[in-house]
Amino acid sequence: MYKDKKFIAIIPARGGSKGIKNKNIVLLRGKPLIAYTIEAAKESRIFDEILVSTDSTEIARVATKYGANVPFMRPTELSTDSASSIDVIVHTLSYFIENGTNFDYFVLLQPTSPLRTSSDIINAAQLAFEKDANSVVSVCEMEHSPLWCNVLPLDLSLSNFLKKEWDKPRQELPTYYRINGAIYIAKVDYFLRTRDFYGEKSFAYIMPRERSVDIDELIDLKLAEVLLEGLYENKGDK
């Protein structure tokens, strides 16, 4: 399936982070956070290139240690809080094109999704091929239905907080999904033309919630640690 197509994994990992200091290399069960994503990419065996885009020499050192390539340091203007992942992707792809290397697909793998597995990457790529998709984005079922949510007035009144038709047991509500941030796949030519993951022929790859933890705050890190402990115990690694 993959032999006649070239894949690049792009792992964005800037040095600045507010919720958790040095978040991308913070230790999770004794291993830098970014290592989980690099290892999953390597284990998938679908990539011709596994690249980390960073502005941090320390992150670059860790990424290289675990088997990723860091052929350039990310420019300052792409390392601010306002810089977008789209700009980072375009910058990375342009670097290779300018150096005579072209890829058919890229897969954006954020290091803040350490529970995403190599099988998830493979299955999402398989879906892209089956659907002849321009893009595939991972999602998971929402923890709580948005139909049970609303804004609150200043007096905290709950009058009309829920619409009557949605005041029912969870099992009777429609299932909602959210983007979980773990996997973004796109055809390179399509993305460079549109800069969009959600346009024509875009499809969802559904992941379970237990592999959809996105590390933003310390509570997320603690949850990932608990889930990983359970995973390793089930494998007999205690």
Side-chain angles (χ1 to χ4, degrees):
M1 176 178 66
Y2 309 112
K3 291 181 179 178
D4 61 340
K5 301 295 182 183
K6 292 191 69 175
F7 276 75
I8 179 174
I10 301 175
I11 303 173
R14 70 185 182 93
S17 56
K18 290 193 169 67
I20 303 173
K21 186 177 180 181
N22 297 320
K23 177 172 63 176
N24 288 312
I25 53 174
V26 70
L27 294 183
L28 174 60
R29 284 184 58 91
K31 187 189 300 184
L33 186 63
I34 196 172
Y36 290 89
T37 291
I38 295 171
E39 289 176 347
K42 290 171 64 179
E43 288 168 8
S44 74
R45 299 180 181 274
I46 73 170
F47 295 109
D48 300 274
E49 177 81 23
I50 298 173
L51 175 140
V52 169
S53 171
T54 185
D55 61 325
S56 163
T57 55
E58 180 62 13
I59 291 176
R61 184 190 66 78
V62 173
T64 303
K65 174 184 176 182
Y66 282 91
N69 296 323
V70 189
F72 57 80
M73 299 301 290
R74 191 192 298 184
T76 303
E77 63 270 20
L78 294 181
S79 304
T80 64
D81 289 340
S82 59
S84 72
S85 295
I86 290 176
D87 290 334
V88 171
I89 294 166
V90 172
H91 173 262
T92 300
L93 296 176
S94 298
Y95 168 86
F96 282 98
I97 291 171
E98 290 166 5
N99 285 277
T101 301
N102 294 288
F103 296 96
D104 298 292
Y105 292 84
F106 74 84
V107 184
L108 183 74
L109 299 171
Q110 300 189 118
T112 49
S113 297
L115 302 179
R116 167 234 303 111
T117 66
S118 58
S119 293
D120 286 317
I121 297 170
I122 292 168
N123 292 338
Q126 177 71 52
L127 179 65
F129 275 80
E130 289 175 355
K131 298 284 192 180
D132 188 26
N134 287 324
S135 61
V136 167
V137 177
S138 60
V139 303
C140 68
E141 186 175 336
M142 292 191 68
E143 290 79 357
H144 304 285
S145 174
L147 299 174
W148 284 350
C149 302
N150 208 333
V151 296
L152 281 172
L154 292 177
D155 67 358
L156 306 182
S157 172
L158 284 175
S159 297
N160 301 313
F161 185 82
L162 294 181
K163 293 184 177 180
K164 294 298 182 184
E165 62 266 31
W166 301 128
D167 188 8
K168 58 180 65 174
R170 177 179 57 83
Q171 295 82 358
E172 297 179 23
L173 296 173
T175 301
Y176 278 76
Y177 295 86
R178 63 172 176 83
I179 305 299
N180 70 356
I183 301 172
Y184 299 80
I185 300 177
K187 292 180 178 178
V188 169
D189 57 353
Y190 168 81
F191 190 84
L192 289 177
R193 187 174 69 253
T194 66
R195 301 193 178 201
D196 187 12
F197 285 108
Y198 307 101
E200 180 185 5
K201 298 185 72 175
S202 174
F203 296 92
Y205 170 67
I206 301 175
M207 289 174 57
R209 278 172 29 200
E210 62 267 23
R211 296 205 302 274
S212 297
V213 176
D214 184 22
I215 309 296
D216 187 40
E217 300 177 350
L218 282 174
I219 191 172
D220 305 319
L221 196 65
K222 294 296 184 183
L223 175 58
E225 186 174 303
V226 169
L227 290 169
L228 279 170
E229 284 175 0
L231 176 65
Y232 286 121
E233 286 176 2
N234 289 337
K235 289 182 177 180
D237 179 7
K238 299 183 182 180

